[in-house]
Amino acid sequence: MNTFKDNLTKKKFIFTAEITPPKGTDLKEFTETAKILKNYVTAVNITDNPRSVMKLGSLSACKILIDNGIEPIFQITCRDRNRIAVQSDMLSAWVLGIRNMLITTGDNVLAGDHKSAKPVFDVDSTQMLYIAKQLNLGFDLEKNNLHGKTNFCYGAALNPFLNPIELNLIRIRQKNEQGTSFYQTQPIFDIESFKSFYSQFKGTGITTPVLGGLLLLKSVRMAQFINTNVPGINVPEHIISEMEKSSDPNEFAISLTVETGKKLKKYVQGLHIMTIGQENKFERIIKEINAE
Amino acid sequence: MIITTAKQLDNLFDVLKEHQCVFLIGCGSCAAACHTGGEEDIIEIKKVLEEHNKTITGYCIPKETCHHLLTRKELIAHKQDIDKSGCIMVFSCGAGVQAVVSFYEDKEVYSALDTLFLGNVHRFGKFSETCSMCGQCVLNKTGGICPVTRCAKGLLNGPCGGAKNGKCEVNPENECVWVSIYERLKKLGRLDKLVQFKEPKDYSLKRKPFHLNITLPKKNNKE
């Protein structure tokens, strides 16, 4: 069974969330967070050593979600694996019951806690999407037959704010040609910029579902940290400034997430909500986005 | 040109701690241009080592230290001074160091430089890396700009999602090379090349260690 894929196919509106595995083997917080999210989302992404900070592997963390009755989206990057490891991990994921993947390039190692590590990037994200397509057809990258194929629902990351837009759209078209079933975007704060992107995206004729990213900020410091240290995400300065002036920054952040989510709903087929340690606010956010 | 940088002095003193007498070898080609192995640089380092009570038995600057025949000629000319030394310190790229190593079975040869990259020279002292010598050139597919080298992740099918305002996620001082490739191909009216899917590189074409033997065609005496 693959509820996530079914909902995508049936054009149902989807909520997804994400959890980063622990740094170590203590799974208490991880499973508690997963159990909270289970009630509100169709599937949960498990990040793959995000920001190049070494964590428990996304593959085993996905299996733990399955054991807890939660459908995972296995995030896999090409930063730490050559093409043999990429294919081997994808096959491993399939036999463990993982049915969804989000295929991304991966942040550079200098952003993380093992700065002296050798970045692999033997294949890029488009080539990994091609690999996933091949495995679903029953072949490996070298066109050797597989004894038992996969049937993954695989998606790609999409940064609506990557410029020039024409280059961004070419990149998306390339990914689409590799059978991408969905896109999950980087966090969206600036709805007007997203709308401008989205109208051009629609103009390409691509109908692949997009799940818009939402990130619940915790503090002004967090927003500033993201802008300095997290590749591919940008919190606009006017939002940081408004949050600074706000008497209740937490409330401001929740309202911002809800309002952005409400506006995004008109354009996308789902929302990917990142609460990063504030999962106790997840229920309220979803309820308020759904209200109307 | 092979771009080199000098190792820290502490590092040199550390490897030389067991030796009193040292012979120095520079390189008249790339290292000289990098100001790491030319005659002026060798005289300068000679002075520093002597101030630290080392005895420099002599020095030489082969025209191209990586060139075995040229280097051998210099080593023969300086045999006496080299024989007096306990070790040799080479101020060239790794290839030059190993050319020297190949001539001495029982004498330690040390590298004084770190070899960085194959570089373009913009002006004196300003070098940039544009080619990784990957053995499978993609320039014809990317408007003559190399993503293997100039994209920090070496991506072949366009930018990652990390570029901000056209700058690279890894080092914001660098342009995102995919933006440069896009702009060039657009000007050339060849954006079709950008759309084309590029398959993973064939790393079997980059065997290590690589050897190449060129056989010249025999001249026909009758002509």
Side-chain angles (χ1 to χ4, degrees), chain A residues 48-79:
Chain A
D48 180 12
N49 298 307
R51 215 164 50 77
S52 302
V53 175
M54 193 284 295
K55 307 274 187 181
L56 174 78
S58 52
L59 189 59
S60 51
C62 283
K63 176 69 169 78
I64 291 156
L65 285 198
I66 293 171
D67 293 345
N68 282 278
I70 303 161
E71 192 167 325
I73 299 174
F74 171 43
Q75 289 196 194
I76 179 167
T77 74
C78 45
R79 179 194 55 228

PDB file of all heavy atoms in Angstrom, chain A residues 48-79:
ATOM      1  N   ASP A  48      18.446  13.137   4.999  1.00  0.00           N
ATOM      2  CA  ASP A  48      19.667  12.344   4.800  1.00  0.00           C
ATOM      3  C   ASP A  48      20.895  13.196   5.170  1.00  0.00           C
ATOM      4  O   ASP A  48      21.417  13.929   4.346  1.00  0.00           O
ATOM      5  CB  ASP A  48      19.723  11.913   3.323  1.00  0.00           C
ATOM      6  CG  ASP A  48      20.954  11.078   2.998  1.00  0.00           C
ATOM      7  OD1 ASP A  48      21.644  10.631   3.933  1.00  0.00           O
ATOM      8  OD2 ASP A  48      21.223  10.877   1.793  1.00  0.00           O
ATOM      9  N   ASN A  49      21.288  13.089   6.410  1.00  0.00           N
ATOM     10  CA  ASN A  49      22.419  13.886   6.910  1.00  0.00           C
ATOM     11  C   ASN A  49      22.306  15.345   6.444  1.00  0.00           C
ATOM     12  O   ASN A  49      23.192  15.857   5.749  1.00  0.00           O
ATOM     13  CB  ASN A  49      23.756  13.281   6.459  1.00  0.00           C
ATOM     14  CG  ASN A  49      23.969  11.889   7.012  1.00  0.00           C
ATOM     15  OD1 ASN A  49      23.876  11.662   8.213  1.00  0.00           O
ATOM     16  ND2 ASN A  49      24.209  10.924   6.132  1.00  0.00           N
ATOM     17  N   PRO A  50      21.203  16.016   6.843  1.00  0.00           N
ATOM     18  CA  PRO A  50      20.965  17.363   6.327  1.00  0.00           C
ATOM     19  C   PRO A  50      22.062  18.334   6.741  1.00  0.00           C
ATOM     20  O   PRO A  50      22.627  18.205   7.816  1.00  0.00           O
ATOM     21  CB  PRO A  50      19.624  17.763   6.964  1.00  0.00           C
ATOM     22  CG  PRO A  50      19.524  16.933   8.187  1.00  0.00           C
ATOM     23  CD  PRO A  50      20.204  15.647   7.870  1.00  0.00           C
ATOM     24  N   ARG A  51      22.308  19.285   5.872  1.00  0.00           N
ATOM     25  CA  ARG A  51      23.366  20.282   6.084  1.00  0.00           C
ATOM     26  C   ARG A  51      24.706  19.593   6.333  1.00  0.00           C
ATOM     27  O   ARG A  51      25.587  20.126   6.969  1.00  0.00           O
ATOM     28  CB  ARG A  51      22.976  21.209   7.247  1.00  0.00           C
ATOM     29  CG  ARG A  51      23.426  22.632   7.068  1.00  0.00           C
ATOM     30  CD  ARG A  51      22.687  23.572   8.017  1.00  0.00           C
ATOM     31  NE  ARG A  51      22.670  23.160   9.388  1.00  0.00           N
ATOM     32  CZ  ARG A  51      23.702  23.273  10.222  1.00  0.00           C
ATOM     33  NH1 ARG A  51      24.833  23.801   9.816  1.00  0.00           N
ATOM     34  NH2 ARG A  51      23.607  22.879  11.463  1.00  0.00           N
ATOM     35  N   SER A  52      24.814  18.352   5.835  1.00  0.00           N
ATOM     36  CA  SER A  52      26.052  17.562   5.965  1.00  0.00           C
ATOM     37  C   SER A  52      26.462  17.332   7.424  1.00  0.00           C
ATOM     38  O   SER A  52      27.645  17.165   7.717  1.00  0.00           O
ATOM     39  CB  SER A  52      27.207  18.218   5.207  1.00  0.00           C
ATOM     40  OG  SER A  52      26.899  18.383   3.866  1.00  0.00           O
ATOM     41  N   VAL A  53      25.477  17.358   8.312  1.00  0.00           N
ATOM     42  CA  VAL A  53      25.762  17.011   9.712  1.00  0.00           C
ATOM     43  C   VAL A  53      25.471  15.521   9.861  1.00  0.00           C
ATOM     44  O   VAL A  53      24.375  15.066   9.527  1.00  0.00           O
ATOM     45  CB  VAL A  53      24.894  17.854  10.680  1.00  0.00           C
ATOM     46  CG1 VAL A  53      25.110  17.409  12.118  1.00  0.00           C
ATOM     47  CG2 VAL A  53      25.221  19.339  10.521  1.00  0.00           C
ATOM     48  N   MET A  54      26.453  14.766  10.328  1.00  0.00           N
ATOM     49  CA  MET A  54      26.332  13.310  10.393  1.00  0.00           C
ATOM     50  C   MET A  54      25.273  12.885  11.417  1.00  0.00           C
ATOM     51  O   MET A  54      25.302  13.319  12.563  1.00  0.00           O
ATOM     52  CB  MET A  54      27.698  12.700  10.758  1.00  0.00           C
ATOM     53  CG  MET A  54      27.795  11.206  10.551  1.00  0.00           C
ATOM     54  SD  MET A  54      26.966  10.224  11.818  1.00  0.00           S
ATOM     55  CE  MET A  54      27.934  10.611  13.271  1.00  0.00           C
ATOM     56  N   LYS A  55      24.335  12.069  10.936  1.00  0.00           N
ATOM     57  CA  LYS A  55      23.230  11.576  11.782  1.00  0.00           C
ATOM     58  C   LYS A  55      23.042  10.088  11.530  1.00  0.00           C
ATOM     59  O   LYS A  55      23.649   9.523  10.617  1.00  0.00           O
ATOM     60  CB  LYS A  55      21.918  12.287  11.402  1.00  0.00           C
ATOM     61  CG  LYS A  55      21.963  13.795  11.393  1.00  0.00           C
ATOM     62  CD  LYS A  55      21.685  14.346  12.754  1.00  0.00           C
ATOM     63  CE  LYS A  55      21.551  15.863  12.701  1.00  0.00           C
ATOM     64  NZ  LYS A  55      21.303  16.436  14.000  1.00  0.00           N
ATOM     65  N   LEU A  56      22.096   9.510  12.257  1.00  0.00           N
ATOM     66  CA  LEU A  56      21.644   8.154  11.960  1.00  0.00           C
ATOM     67  C   LEU A  56      21.136   8.136  10.507  1.00  0.00           C
ATOM     68  O   LEU A  56      20.546   9.110  10.050  1.00  0.00           O
ATOM     69  CB  LEU A  56      20.502   7.794  12.917  1.00  0.00           C
ATOM     70  CG  LEU A  56      19.789   6.455  12.691  1.00  0.00           C
ATOM     71  CD1 LEU A  56      20.645   5.312  13.236  1.00  0.00           C
ATOM     72  CD2 LEU A  56      18.425   6.451  13.364  1.00  0.00           C
ATOM     73  N   GLY A  57      21.369   7.043   9.798  1.00  0.00           N
ATOM     74  CA  GLY A  57      20.999   6.981   8.378  1.00  0.00           C
ATOM     75  C   GLY A  57      19.509   7.079   8.128  1.00  0.00           C
ATOM     76  O   GLY A  57      18.699   6.577   8.912  1.00  0.00           O
ATOM     77  N   SER A  58      19.164   7.717   7.006  1.00  0.00           N
ATOM     78  CA  SER A  58      17.745   7.897   6.687  1.00  0.00           C
ATOM     79  C   SER A  58      17.064   6.557   6.397  1.00  0.00           C
ATOM     80  O   SER A  58      15.881   6.377   6.650  1.00  0.00           O
ATOM     81  CB  SER A  58      17.569   8.857   5.506  1.00  0.00           C
ATOM     82  OG  SER A  58      18.344   8.475   4.413  1.00  0.00           O
ATOM     83  N   LEU A  59      17.843   5.602   5.874  1.00  0.00           N
ATOM     84  CA  LEU A  59      17.282   4.294   5.525  1.00  0.00           C
ATOM     85  C   LEU A  59      16.721   3.585   6.763  1.00  0.00           C
ATOM     86  O   LEU A  59      15.561   3.158   6.789  1.00  0.00           O
ATOM     87  CB  LEU A  59      18.383   3.455   4.866  1.00  0.00           C
ATOM     88  CG  LEU A  59      18.015   2.145   4.218  1.00  0.00           C
ATOM     89  CD1 LEU A  59      16.986   2.350   3.119  1.00  0.00           C
ATOM     90  CD2 LEU A  59      19.262   1.487   3.626  1.00  0.00           C
ATOM     91  N   SER A  60      17.547   3.492   7.816  1.00  0.00           N
ATOM     92  CA  SER A  60      17.077   2.785   9.018  1.00  0.00           C
ATOM     93  C   SER A  60      16.005   3.594   9.744  1.00  0.00           C
ATOM     94  O   SER A  60      15.070   3.031  10.313  1.00  0.00           O
ATOM     95  CB  SER A  60      18.238   2.456   9.951  1.00  0.00           C
ATOM     96  OG  SER A  60      18.994   3.603  10.198  1.00  0.00           O
ATOM     97  N   ALA A  61      16.118   4.929   9.684  1.00  0.00           N
ATOM     98  CA  ALA A  61      15.092   5.754  10.331  1.00  0.00           C
ATOM     99  C   ALA A  61      13.738   5.586   9.626  1.00  0.00           C
ATOM    100  O   ALA A  61      12.691   5.592  10.276  1.00  0.00           O
ATOM    101  CB  ALA A  61      15.527   7.216  10.330  1.00  0.00           C
ATOM    102  N   CYS A  62      13.771   5.405   8.296  1.00  0.00           N
ATOM    103  CA  CYS A  62      12.528   5.157   7.549  1.00  0.00           C
ATOM    104  C   CYS A  62      11.890   3.841   8.005  1.00  0.00           C
ATOM    105  O   CYS A  62      10.672   3.728   8.140  1.00  0.00           O
ATOM    106  CB  CYS A  62      12.802   5.080   6.049  1.00  0.00           C
ATOM    107  SG  CYS A  62      13.037   6.674   5.278  1.00  0.00           S
ATOM    108  N   LYS A  63      12.733   2.836   8.229  1.00  0.00           N
ATOM    109  CA  LYS A  63      12.230   1.528   8.674  1.00  0.00           C
ATOM    110  C   LYS A  63      11.552   1.659  10.040  1.00  0.00           C
ATOM    111  O   LYS A  63      10.515   1.029  10.287  1.00  0.00           O
ATOM    112  CB  LYS A  63      13.404   0.530   8.725  1.00  0.00           C
ATOM    113  CG  LYS A  63      13.042  -0.836   9.271  1.00  0.00           C
ATOM    114  CD  LYS A  63      12.136  -1.607   8.307  1.00  0.00           C
ATOM    115  CE  LYS A  63      11.962  -3.061   8.689  1.00  0.00           C
ATOM    116  NZ  LYS A  63      11.038  -3.292   9.774  1.00  0.00           N
ATOM    117  N   ILE A  64      12.121   2.494  10.882  1.00  0.00           N
ATOM    118  CA  ILE A  64      11.522   2.701  12.211  1.00  0.00           C
ATOM    119  C   ILE A  64      10.137   3.352  12.070  1.00  0.00           C
ATOM    120  O   ILE A  64       9.198   3.002  12.781  1.00  0.00           O
ATOM    121  CB  ILE A  64      12.474   3.514  13.112  1.00  0.00           C
ATOM    122  CG1 ILE A  64      13.688   2.646  13.446  1.00  0.00           C
ATOM    123  CG2 ILE A  64      11.796   3.989  14.397  1.00  0.00           C
ATOM    124  CD1 ILE A  64      14.914   3.397  13.804  1.00  0.00           C
ATOM    125  N   LEU A  65      10.013   4.270  11.110  1.00  0.00           N
ATOM    126  CA  LEU A  65       8.695   4.879  10.853  1.00  0.00           C
ATOM    127  C   LEU A  65       7.696   3.807  10.425  1.00  0.00           C
ATOM    128  O   LEU A  65       6.565   3.758  10.928  1.00  0.00           O
ATOM    129  CB  LEU A  65       8.778   5.934   9.750  1.00  0.00           C
ATOM    130  CG  LEU A  65       9.390   7.298  10.051  1.00  0.00           C
ATOM    131  CD1 LEU A  65       8.960   8.295   8.982  1.00  0.00           C
ATOM    132  CD2 LEU A  65       9.002   7.832  11.415  1.00  0.00           C
ATOM    133  N   ILE A  66       8.131   2.952   9.502  1.00  0.00           N
ATOM    134  CA  ILE A  66       7.234   1.882   9.022  1.00  0.00           C
ATOM    135  C   ILE A  66       6.782   1.017  10.201  1.00  0.00           C
ATOM    136  O   ILE A  66       5.600   0.709  10.343  1.00  0.00           O
ATOM    137  CB  ILE A  66       7.935   1.019   7.945  1.00  0.00           C
ATOM    138  CG1 ILE A  66       8.179   1.852   6.677  1.00  0.00           C
ATOM    139  CG2 ILE A  66       7.115  -0.233   7.606  1.00  0.00           C
ATOM    140  CD1 ILE A  66       9.049   1.174   5.639  1.00  0.00           C
ATOM    141  N   ASP A  67       7.717   0.662  11.083  1.00  0.00           N
ATOM    142  CA  ASP A  67       7.395  -0.159  12.258  1.00  0.00           C
ATOM    143  C   ASP A  67       6.382   0.534  13.169  1.00  0.00           C
ATOM    144  O   ASP A  67       5.692  -0.109  13.950  1.00  0.00           O
ATOM    145  CB  ASP A  67       8.664  -0.488  13.047  1.00  0.00           C
ATOM    146  CG  ASP A  67       9.599  -1.399  12.251  1.00  0.00           C
ATOM    147  OD1 ASP A  67       9.137  -1.986  11.250  1.00  0.00           O
ATOM    148  OD2 ASP A  67      10.792  -1.514  12.623  1.00  0.00           O
ATOM    149  N   ASN A  68       6.354   1.887  13.076  1.00  0.00           N
ATOM    150  CA  ASN A  68       5.399   2.645  13.891  1.00  0.00           C
ATOM    151  C   ASN A  68       4.146   3.037  13.107  1.00  0.00           C
ATOM    152  O   ASN A  68       3.401   3.927  13.515  1.00  0.00           O
ATOM    153  CB  ASN A  68       6.086   3.900  14.449  1.00  0.00           C
ATOM    154  CG  ASN A  68       6.983   3.571  15.640  1.00  0.00           C
ATOM    155  OD1 ASN A  68       6.516   3.446  16.772  1.00  0.00           O
ATOM    156  ND2 ASN A  68       8.264   3.378  15.383  1.00  0.00           N
ATOM    157  N   GLY A  69       3.965   2.403  11.961  1.00  0.00           N
ATOM    158  CA  GLY A  69       2.746   2.636  11.182  1.00  0.00           C
ATOM    159  C   GLY A  69       2.719   3.955  10.436  1.00  0.00           C
ATOM    160  O   GLY A  69       1.662   4.497  10.133  1.00  0.00           O
ATOM    161  N   ILE A  70       3.893   4.502  10.139  1.00  0.00           N
ATOM    162  CA  ILE A  70       3.953   5.803   9.447  1.00  0.00           C
ATOM    163  C   ILE A  70       4.605   5.594   8.081  1.00  0.00           C
ATOM    164  O   ILE A  70       5.608   4.879   7.965  1.00  0.00           O
ATOM    165  CB  ILE A  70       4.784   6.819  10.275  1.00  0.00           C
ATOM    166  CG1 ILE A  70       4.182   6.950  11.678  1.00  0.00           C
ATOM    167  CG2 ILE A  70       4.866   8.170   9.575  1.00  0.00           C
ATOM    168  CD1 ILE A  70       5.124   7.534  12.700  1.00  0.00           C
ATOM    169  N   GLU A  71       4.050   6.227   7.060  1.00  0.00           N
ATOM    170  CA  GLU A  71       4.616   6.074   5.720  1.00  0.00           C
ATOM    171  C   GLU A  71       5.784   7.043   5.520  1.00  0.00           C
ATOM    172  O   GLU A  71       5.603   8.255   5.628  1.00  0.00           O
ATOM    173  CB  GLU A  71       3.516   6.340   4.675  1.00  0.00           C
ATOM    174  CG  GLU A  71       3.935   5.937   3.298  1.00  0.00           C
ATOM    175  CD  GLU A  71       2.749   5.916   2.332  1.00  0.00           C
ATOM    176  OE1 GLU A  71       1.633   5.570   2.733  1.00  0.00           O
ATOM    177  OE2 GLU A  71       2.985   6.255   1.164  1.00  0.00           O
ATOM    178  N   PRO A  72       6.967   6.522   5.239  1.00  0.00           N
ATOM    179  CA  PRO A  72       8.118   7.424   5.089  1.00  0.00           C
ATOM    180  C   PRO A  72       8.379   7.860   3.646  1.00  0.00           C
ATOM    181  O   PRO A  72       7.996   7.175   2.708  1.00  0.00           O
ATOM    182  CB  PRO A  72       9.282   6.559   5.570  1.00  0.00           C
ATOM    183  CG  PRO A  72       8.882   5.170   5.232  1.00  0.00           C
ATOM    184  CD  PRO A  72       7.376   5.113   5.208  1.00  0.00           C
ATOM    185  N   ILE A  73       9.030   8.995   3.526  1.00  0.00           N
ATOM    186  CA  ILE A  73       9.620   9.410   2.246  1.00  0.00           C
ATOM    187  C   ILE A  73      11.131   9.431   2.505  1.00  0.00           C
ATOM    188  O   ILE A  73      11.627  10.242   3.293  1.00  0.00           O
ATOM    189  CB  ILE A  73       9.109  10.790   1.787  1.00  0.00           C
ATOM    190  CG1 ILE A  73       7.586  10.746   1.583  1.00  0.00           C
ATOM    191  CG2 ILE A  73       9.821  11.233   0.507  1.00  0.00           C
ATOM    192  CD1 ILE A  73       6.938  12.090   1.270  1.00  0.00           C
ATOM    193  N   PHE A  74      11.794   8.499   1.879  1.00  0.00           N
ATOM    194  CA  PHE A  74      13.229   8.287   2.073  1.00  0.00           C
ATOM    195  C   PHE A  74      14.010   9.346   1.294  1.00  0.00           C
ATOM    196  O   PHE A  74      13.972   9.371   0.074  1.00  0.00           O
ATOM    197  CB  PHE A  74      13.557   6.875   1.557  1.00  0.00           C
ATOM    198  CG  PHE A  74      15.016   6.511   1.471  1.00  0.00           C
ATOM    199  CD1 PHE A  74      15.912   6.822   2.468  1.00  0.00           C
ATOM    200  CD2 PHE A  74      15.482   5.785   0.365  1.00  0.00           C
ATOM    201  CE1 PHE A  74      17.244   6.444   2.377  1.00  0.00           C
ATOM    202  CE2 PHE A  74      16.805   5.398   0.255  1.00  0.00           C
ATOM    203  CZ  PHE A  74      17.702   5.739   1.270  1.00  0.00           C
ATOM    204  N   GLN A  75      14.665  10.246   2.013  1.00  0.00           N
ATOM    205  CA  GLN A  75      15.475  11.256   1.315  1.00  0.00           C
ATOM    206  C   GLN A  75      16.861  10.674   1.059  1.00  0.00           C
ATOM    207  O   GLN A  75      17.486  10.124   1.963  1.00  0.00           O
ATOM    208  CB  GLN A  75      15.578  12.544   2.141  1.00  0.00           C
ATOM    209  CG  GLN A  75      14.265  13.297   2.180  1.00  0.00           C
ATOM    210  CD  GLN A  75      14.378  14.741   2.629  1.00  0.00           C
ATOM    211  OE1 GLN A  75      13.356  15.347   2.930  1.00  0.00           O
ATOM    212  NE2 GLN A  75      15.567  15.300   2.679  1.00  0.00           N
ATOM    213  N   ILE A  76      17.297  10.790  -0.166  1.00  0.00           N
ATOM    214  CA  ILE A  76      18.594  10.226  -0.534  1.00  0.00           C
ATOM    215  C   ILE A  76      19.370  11.254  -1.360  1.00  0.00           C
ATOM    216  O   ILE A  76      18.847  11.806  -2.326  1.00  0.00           O
ATOM    217  CB  ILE A  76      18.418   8.861  -1.263  1.00  0.00           C
ATOM    218  CG1 ILE A  76      19.775   8.280  -1.663  1.00  0.00           C
ATOM    219  CG2 ILE A  76      17.479   8.933  -2.451  1.00  0.00           C
ATOM    220  CD1 ILE A  76      19.724   6.811  -2.093  1.00  0.00           C
ATOM    221  N   THR A  77      20.578  11.516  -0.935  1.00  0.00           N
ATOM    222  CA  THR A  77      21.423  12.485  -1.647  1.00  0.00           C
ATOM    223  C   THR A  77      22.583  11.764  -2.325  1.00  0.00           C
ATOM    224  O   THR A  77      22.885  10.610  -2.006  1.00  0.00           O
ATOM    225  CB  THR A  77      22.029  13.536  -0.698  1.00  0.00           C
ATOM    226  OG1 THR A  77      23.079  12.929   0.063  1.00  0.00           O
ATOM    227  CG2 THR A  77      20.995  14.119   0.246  1.00  0.00           C
ATOM    228  N   CYS A  78      23.224  12.465  -3.255  1.00  0.00           N
ATOM    229  CA  CYS A  78      24.374  11.869  -3.940  1.00  0.00           C
ATOM    230  C   CYS A  78      25.693  12.357  -3.340  1.00  0.00           C
ATOM    231  O   CYS A  78      26.757  12.047  -3.854  1.00  0.00           O
ATOM    232  CB  CYS A  78      24.314  12.142  -5.434  1.00  0.00           C
ATOM    233  SG  CYS A  78      23.897  13.816  -5.870  1.00  0.00           S
ATOM    234  N   ARG A  79      25.617  13.111  -2.268  1.00  0.00           N
ATOM    235  CA  ARG A  79      26.835  13.653  -1.656  1.00  0.00           C
ATOM    236  C   ARG A  79      27.730  12.557  -1.056  1.00  0.00           C
ATOM    237  O   ARG A  79      28.952  12.634  -1.117  1.00  0.00           O
ATOM    238  CB  ARG A  79      26.456  14.653  -0.557  1.00  0.00           C
ATOM    239  CG  ARG A  79      27.642  15.266   0.157  1.00  0.00           C
ATOM    240  CD  ARG A  79      27.197  15.965   1.426  1.00  0.00           C
ATOM    241  NE  ARG A  79      26.463  15.060   2.283  1.00  0.00           N
ATOM    242  CZ  ARG A  79      25.303  15.343   2.858  1.00  0.00           C
ATOM    243  NH1 ARG A  79      24.735  16.506   2.668  1.00  0.00           N
ATOM    244  NH2 ARG A  79      24.678  14.453   3.618  1.00  0.00           N
TER     245      ARG A  79
END
